[in-house]
Amino acid sequence: MPGFPPIPADGSGMLLHRASVPAAMLEADLGPADADGLVLADIRIEAGRIAALTPAAATAPEGALDLDRGQVWPGLVDPHAHLDKAHIFPRAVNPDGTHPGAVKAVAEDRAAHWSAEDVRRRFTFALRCAEANGVVAIRTHLDSHGPQAALTWPVFAELREEWRGRITLQAAGLVSITDYAGEEGEALAARIAATGGLLGGNTRIPDDNGEKLEASLDGLFRQAIKHGLDIDLHVDESGDPNAATLGPIARAALRHRFPGRLTCGHCCSLAVQPPDVADRVMDLVAEAGITIISLPPVNQYLQDRVPGRTPRWRGVTLLHELRARGINVLIGGDNCRDPFYGYGDHDPIETFTDSVRIGHLDKPIGDWPAAVTARPAGWMGLPDHGRIRPGTAADLVLFRGRSMDELLSRRRGPRIVLRNGRPIPAELPEYRELDDLF
Ligand SMILES: [Zn+2]
């Protein structure tokens, strides 16, 4: 790769000299970080693992590979994806690009095309993109409506095994939360539990005065507690201030003394609610220990989209205000080349770059890089991922960009992905490979 020193392909070990590492992902005290939150380090790799981390030596040690201050990140983590929907864009047309248009287009495509083989092909394509980009772990949501659950969850279980050691996979069921009631809901929860998944769903209930929401949340929490499962929900993905289920979710978690990990994705409408209302909701979110996942590129794509009218708001939740309360805030890629988002490449660096611009996550950038590395890894229960520390696998992403400005200005800039200390092929699969599905 031009610009990089020659990285040995055989995993025989190396000393990376002058690596700029974000302090937010570094578990070693190497001195103060610069204004971009970066620390200059030497990283010794032996037998596929990080053997030592030291402050960068003043002169290059014998045999060292000089990165010339290029950044080094740990393997990337995407906490919220939809790999079962990925890449249906060519055959599932969302005529107006809106959220309702996406829901309709996906439902039609699912009914017509989502065989086990179709899901497996697209899901695998997505994983290959993610791996080439340096991703080591993904949580995906899986459409689990009616008969689809019996098709998709076994494919997920197979792929989770097939990709073990390359990309760690977790999955949450995606239905309406009203669907966990009754016999079919019991069966779905049991299937998810048997596959080692999580309960998830959309909390928007049409024509509800709050009663159905309350009852559905009670049912959901009871199922999760019964099976010992975590919960990961799609919440208030709307610019309508009356989409306000986040507060009731937090109250339900407190009411049930929910012992698992509760996550709420999107929470867009929090940003358009009156400040005092939003403050009270965020206090409840903090009290209930909820993790919030923001999906800025997709929110910006879908929210406030009205044909022929220029969007007036960015669609994202209150990222800074949630963080200021100490709430765990993660950033995810969400959809990729489907009716909910026509773009994307399973690349958390692209997601992060867009999110910095959309959400003003700079000035200072602080520990925001941890939102696509250390924080989602810890939240997925993977303490050895998403961080750089001695003893862990040398799963690293090497960039030429030295400062955050250089890295984030050229998001498709050169990178080398190391897995267990060896560079992996950088080629992304060709879209043409999927042509026969369309
Ligand atoms: Zn989603």
Side-chain angles (χ1 to χ4, degrees), residues 73 76 347-354 399 407-408 411 415:
W73 287 34
L76 309 167
D347 180 9
I349 293 297
E350 178 186 336
T351 304
F352 182 69
T353 302
D354 287 354
F399 301 99
L407 178 68
L408 302 181
R411 61 175 129 184
R415 71 179 80 165

Side-chain angles (χ1 to χ4, degrees), residues 17 27 36 47 54 67 112 124 156 161 185 197 216 224 231 246 268-269 312 320 340 415 420 436:
H17 174 53
E27 286 192 9
D36 279 351
T54 49
L67 295 182
T124 301
F156 167 74
E161 285 314 305
S216 299
I231 297 176
L246 183 56
C268 308
S269 64
R312 311 294 162 86
H320 294 281
F340 287 91
R415 71 179 80 165
N420 298 305
D436 65 297

Side-chain angles (χ1 to χ4, degrees), residues 92-329:
V93 175
N94 179 351
D96 57 6
T98 62
H99 191 275
V103 171
K104 185 165 176 287
V106 167
E108 287 170 3
D109 190 73
R110 193 169 58 229
H113 298 295
W114 290 26
S115 64
E117 187 53 22
D118 178 72
V119 172
R120 182 182 294 112
R121 288 272 307 279
R122 293 183 291 95
F123 201 121
T124 301
F125 186 92
L127 291 173
R128 288 166 59 206
C129 299
E131 183 178 48
N133 286 324
V135 171
V136 296
I138 302 175
R139 179 179 292 174
T140 183
H141 296 258
L142 299 175
D143 281 18
S144 300
H145 313 72
Q148 191 63 47
L151 286 168
T152 296
W153 279 88
V155 172
F156 167 74
E158 278 169 36
L159 290 172
R160 184 178 52 189
E161 285 314 305
E162 197 179 315
W163 281 76
R164 195 177 289 280
R166 292 166 71 185
I167 296 179
T168 301
L169 290 170
Q170 296 180 353
L174 180 52
V175 288
S176 165
I177 56 161
T178 58
D179 292 353
Y180 285 105
E183 241 171 71
E184 219 178 304
E186 291 270 351
L188 176 59
R191 174 184 294 282
I192 290 171
T195 318
L198 300 90
L199 297 190
N202 198 315
T203 57
R204 193 185 75 88
I205 303 174
D207 307 317
D208 178 38
N209 61 4
E211 269 175 46
K212 282 186 217 160
L213 175 66
E214 195 96 340
S216 299
L217 287 170
D218 283 341
L220 173 72
F221 278 97
R222 273 197 294 269
Q223 291 279 8
I225 290 166
K226 178 173 132 191
H227 292 289
L229 299 177
D230 290 343
I231 297 176
D232 192 337
L233 297 168
H234 278 68
V235 178
D236 303 338
E237 190 177 355
S238 169
D240 175 2
N242 297 314
T245 65
L246 183 56
I249 292 166
R251 282 195 291 273
L254 293 166
R255 182 164 72 241
H256 288 268
R257 295 189 173 80
F258 183 56
R261 190 165 274 161
L262 172 59
T263 302
C264 293
H266 294 289
C267 309
C268 308
S269 64
L270 188 64
V272 292
Q273 288 163 1
D276 58 320
V277 173
D279 279 342
R280 280 202 304 276
V281 172
M282 287 190 286
D283 288 344
L284 276 170
V285 167
E287 190 186 344
I290 298 173
T291 292
I292 301 290
I293 303 185
S294 185
L295 302 307
V298 172
N299 294 154
Q300 189 173 66
Y301 182 87
L302 284 175
Q303 298 303 311
D304 206 18
R305 188 186 277 265
V306 179
R309 175 185 173 278
T310 306
R312 311 294 162 86
W313 81 297
R314 301 183 185 204
V316 293
T317 193
L318 298 178
L319 289 153
H320 294 281
E321 293 80 353
L322 290 160
R323 271 305 282 159
R325 281 174 166 76
I327 293 165
N328 195 30
V329 179

Side-chain angles (χ1 to χ4, degrees), residues 272-435:
V272 292
Q273 288 163 1
D276 58 320
V277 173
D279 279 342
R280 280 202 304 276
V281 172
M282 287 190 286
D283 288 344
L284 276 170
V285 167
E287 190 186 344
I290 298 173
T291 292
I292 301 290
I293 303 185
S294 185
L295 302 307
V298 172
N299 294 154
Q300 189 173 66
Y301 182 87
L302 284 175
Q303 298 303 311
D304 206 18
R305 188 186 277 265
V306 179
R309 175 185 173 278
T310 306
R312 311 294 162 86
W313 81 297
R314 301 183 185 204
V316 293
T317 193
L318 298 178
L319 289 153
H320 294 281
E321 293 80 353
L322 290 160
R323 271 305 282 159
R325 281 174 166 76
I327 293 165
N328 195 30
V329 179
L330 314 178
I331 291 173
D334 210 9
N335 301 75
C336 191
R337 294 185 70 240
D338 71 18
F340 287 91
Y341 188 51
Y343 312 109
D345 206 6
H346 309 284
D347 180 9
I349 293 297
E350 178 186 336
T351 304
F352 182 69
T353 302
D354 287 354
S355 301
V356 168
R357 298 171 188 188
I358 296 167
H360 292 178
L361 306 184
D362 47 8
K363 311 292 173 192
I365 201 147
D367 66 358
W368 281 109
V372 293
T373 51
R375 288 209 292 269
W379 162 86
M380 283 180 75
L382 306 170
D384 287 346
H385 282 313
R387 297 164 195 283
I388 297 181
R389 74 156 178 265
T392 57
D395 294 338
L396 302 171
V397 189
L398 279 47
F399 301 99
R400 285 295 288 159
R402 295 166 294 184
S403 57
M404 284 297 169
D405 158 63
E406 288 186 1
L407 178 68
L408 302 181
S409 293
R410 197 174 278 172
R411 61 175 129 184
R412 267 286 173 213
R415 71 179 80 165
I416 291 176
V417 176
L418 300 183
R419 298 303 303 270
N420 298 305
R422 288 169 198 260
I424 66 165
E427 290 77 36
L428 292 158
E430 289 244 36
Y431 296 127
R432 287 165 184 76
E433 290 182 26
L434 297 177
D435 280 354

Side-chain angles (χ1 to χ4, degrees), residues 21-94:
V21 180
M25 315 160 186
L26 192 59
E27 286 192 9
D29 184 12
L30 303 185
D34 68 13
D36 279 351
L38 299 167
V39 174
L40 206 55
D42 286 354
I43 306 173
R44 181 173 292 284
I45 297 171
E46 285 171 6
R49 307 192 87 75
I50 297 171
L53 268 175
T54 49
T59 54
E62 176 84 23
L65 302 176
D66 187 3
L67 295 182
D68 189 17
R69 298 189 290 128
Q71 288 190 48
V72 174
W73 287 34
L76 309 167
V77 182
D78 189 344
H80 182 127
H82 291 267
L83 303 186
D84 58 341
K85 292 187 176 80
H87 304 288
I88 62 173
F89 189 82
R91 70 177 186 212
V93 175
N94 179 351

